[in-house]
Amino acid sequence: MLFLLLILLGAGGVLASGIGLYVICHHLLTADIPAGISHPLKLRILHCGFLLLITWGKVLETLKICSLPRFARFMQDLMPLKQDPDVVVTDLRFGSNPVKLYQQKTSSLTPRTGIIFYHGGGMVMGSLKTYNNLCCQLCKASDSVVLSAGYRKLPEHRFPAAEVDCFASTVHFLKSLKDYGVDPARVVLCGESLGGSLAALICQKLVERQDLPKIRAQILICAVMQGLNFQLPSYEQNKNVPMLTLSFASYCFSHYTDINPAWEPVVLKGGHLPTESWEKYRKWLDQENIPQRFKQRGYRPVSHMPLNETAYLEAGLFLEKQPFPLIAEDEVVTRVPEACLVTCEYDILRDDLLLYKKRLEDLGVPVTWHHMEDGFHGVLSILNFSCLHFPCTTRIINLIVHFIKGL
Ligand SMILES: *[C@@H]1O[C@H](CO)[C@@H](O)[C@H](O)[C@H]1NC(C)=O
Ligand SMILES: *[C@@H]1O[C@H](CO)[C@@H](O)[C@H](O)[C@H]1NC(C)=O
């Protein structure tokens, strides 16, 4: 019996060191740490931690013990929660959707600003808990009531679970602002990464709703705004930059949309859409609309590969029907609330928001834009991570707090 246990322990040890070694090699061979990142070593450590999580997730998934997304979130949620003595955090359910409410301990004579926050993580990582510190900080620094909206995720739940859940929680909150001491004239939707996409989409959906308070502003940080053109400069320039590499983004995207990963090479090169579609989206999705200063760092324009009919039927046709915020009609986009956009130079999604910025500006929607020259995807979620702190995180928080206070 003891002997068997020793063998098992030994095998576990070999597997663990093998995975550790693989992760370090994988990082050193594939990760691109740009010179403009302020703390390259910290980013390397974070990326190795991330790869460790993903690799273990893949091993456990292959062994049919636990799925990768479940394992990744379970491990992330083991991080201890930081309590803030000035903020009351309440776990609630709006229908079946979990939400966290953040309120200041001190009462206010006048109603406060309300922030509805949608977290990121590509439907694989991230939870209400992982974004707890950020929401606490937002609540305190901007003197607001923050509602953090949870949603169903992979592996069981796919498109459009996140949209459905977040929209329902948003409507519920908008109908009960009085109970939470929120000023109906000052409700802001805010999201990071996939959460930014949710915030933008929900703003677009709410323009039709005369029965609900009007959203005052939207804050979109490193947001996913489209899923059609993967040949924009930022996708090429930052494809191997942690924390969101093109390969992990493709993993999240194909699983969330339930498109067979076999189509990935065709979709990434634009062979999933016919020329007529590319012509139609050109004015919104083309690299021509990206300012010249973002086309440095080795970028060369490439044309879309010729149409692959099967890829069109299996992926393109489906994707074209999706409500990506960047391809919404002008009559919708022109009515969305004022926006604060935050882009990071070393983020594959940078150009998604640059394109949305152009659309909003062309249609006369007021835009405040902040570009982080030293930022990378996910930098906002690395808050209060003890020594792995990046100055960029604090800068983004200060900028959005300033924007909220100025409303
Ligand atoms: C379409 O793409 C698939 C997957 O890459 C490939 O096997 C197939 O040959 C392509 N079809 C055409 C007509 O190019
Ligand atoms: C988290 O970090 C922010 C910004 O650096 C800081 O202001 C805050 O006090 C920290 N919160 C905790 C609970 O450590």
Side-chain angles (χ1 to χ4, degrees):
M1 193 63 200
L2 186 69
F3 183 65
L4 204 72
L5 199 69
L6 280 177
I7 289 189
L8 270 178
L9 273 178
V14 169
L15 181 66
S17 2
I19 289 181
L21 202 64
Y22 164 79
V23 158
I24 292 173
C25 293
H26 186 65
H27 165 78
L28 290 175
L29 292 174
T30 65
D32 171 15
I33 309 287
I37 299 270
S38 55
H39 295 284
L41 187 62
K42 288 185 191 176
L43 185 57
R44 286 189 185 281
I45 294 171
L46 276 173
H47 189 225
C48 285
F50 169 82
L51 286 177
L52 205 57
L53 208 61
I54 297 300
T55 313
W56 269 110
K58 281 187 182 156
V59 169
L60 295 177
E61 195 168 84
T62 312
L63 296 174
K64 301 218 179 329
I65 296 173
C66 178
S67 74
L68 188 167
R70 259 187 198 290
F71 173 74
R73 293 198 296 270
F74 172 78
M75 293 304 284
Q76 276 190 312
D77 283 350
L78 289 182
M79 297 271 291
L81 264 190
K82 288 222 167 75
Q83 306 284 355
D84 192 311
D86 302 328
V87 178
V88 185
V89 187
T90 322
D91 286 296
L92 298 170
R93 271 187 185 273
F94 284 177
S96 56
N97 303 324
V99 297
K100 263 185 192 288
L101 185 72
Y102 298 80
Q103 290 165 299
Q104 297 248 37
K105 266 201 185 130
T106 56
S107 57
S108 161
L109 290 175
T110 49
R112 289 185 154 111
T113 300
I115 303 173
I116 308 182
F117 182 80
Y118 311 96
H119 71 76
M123 289 296 277
V124 175
M125 325 270 293
S127 66
L128 290 176
K129 205 174 162 189
T130 22
Y131 285 76
N132 175 72
N133 296 349
L134 176 63
C135 291
C136 251
Q137 185 72 15
L138 278 181
C139 166
K140 205 164 135 172
S142 67
D143 192 21
S144 308
V145 174
V146 178
L147 181 88
S148 184
Y151 49 87
R152 290 168 295 163
K153 299 186 187 71
L154 289 169
E156 297 88 351
H157 304 289
R158 295 174 186 250
F159 177 85
E163 282 94 321
V164 170
D165 295 358
C166 288
F167 187 72
S169 297
T170 304
V171 170
H172 183 100
F173 189 64
L174 289 174
K175 283 183 175 167
S176 38
L177 295 178
K178 237 195 201 135
D179 304 344
Y180 303 111
V182 172
D183 179 356
R186 278 184 298 143
V187 178
V188 179
L189 304 195
C190 173
E192 188 234 6
S193 191
L194 177 75
S197 167
L198 296 169
L201 261 182
I202 293 173
C203 280
Q204 293 182 350
K205 276 178 93 166
L206 286 174
V207 299
E208 300 292 342
R209 296 288 294 257
Q210 306 301 330
D211 58 322
L212 295 170
K214 234 172 123 89
I215 302 299
R216 177 65 183 82
Q218 53 183 325
I219 303 174
L220 314 179
I221 306 146
C222 300
V224 192
M225 300 304 281
Q226 53 103 25
L228 293 170
N229 185 1
F230 299 95
Q231 292 173 295
L232 293 164
S234 61
Y235 286 82
E236 178 58 31
Q237 293 162 331
N238 302 319
K239 61 178 181 243
N240 293 320
V241 179
M243 301 296 287
L244 185 65
T245 57
L246 186 58
S247 84
F248 187 65
S250 303
Y251 172 90
C252 297
F253 185 75
S254 60
H255 282 76
Y256 183 40
T257 53
D258 208 5
I259 289 176
N260 189 335
W263 295 114
E264 189 183 301
V266 183
V267 173
L268 292 181
K269 292 203 179 85
H272 59 307
L273 291 183
T275 315
E276 308 85 78
S277 296
W278 284 124
E279 276 307 314
K280 176 174 152 206
Y281 300 128
R282 192 171 163 177
K283 61 182 190 289
W284 300 331
L285 292 184
D286 201 84
Q287 53 87 14
E288 283 165 25
N289 296 319
I290 303 288
Q292 201 53 38
R293 64 176 265 222
F294 295 104
K295 295 183 186 166
Q296 319 295 324
R297 289 205 286 126
Y299 170 71
R300 272 196 194 79
V302 277
S303 43
H304 308 298
M305 73 181 256
L307 175 70
N308 180 314
E309 282 284 352
T310 333
Y312 176 58
L313 294 176
E314 303 241 327
L317 210 52
F318 168 78
L319 289 175
E320 274 196 291
K321 287 207 204 88
Q322 298 322 307
F324 297 118
L326 198 48
I327 56 168
E329 291 301 327
D330 281 353
E331 58 151 46
V332 173
V333 180
T334 190
R335 289 153 69 199
V336 300
E338 153 173 18
C340 171
L341 310 178
V342 179
T343 49
C344 285
E345 175 60 25
Y346 303 111
D347 176 6
I348 60 171
L349 301 176
R350 179 196 71 199
D351 295 348
D352 277 32
L353 265 191
L354 290 179
L355 290 175
Y356 201 51
K357 171 177 180 283
K358 181 170 189 311
R359 281 210 71 189
L360 293 173
E361 286 172 346
D362 287 352
L363 293 167
V365 177
V367 174
T368 307
W369 171 54
H370 299 290
H371 183 62
M372 302 295 119
E373 290 291 351
D374 57 345
F376 56 89
H377 194 88
V379 71
L380 187 62
S381 56
I382 312 163
L383 180 66
N384 307 111
F385 242 53
S386 61
C387 58
L388 296 178
H389 179 78
F390 289 81
C392 183
T393 312
T394 319
R395 218 179 314 128
I396 297 178
I397 295 178
N398 290 343
L399 288 167
I400 58 184
V401 166
H402 180 78
F403 174 80
I404 294 166
K405 283 185 156 173
L407 290 174

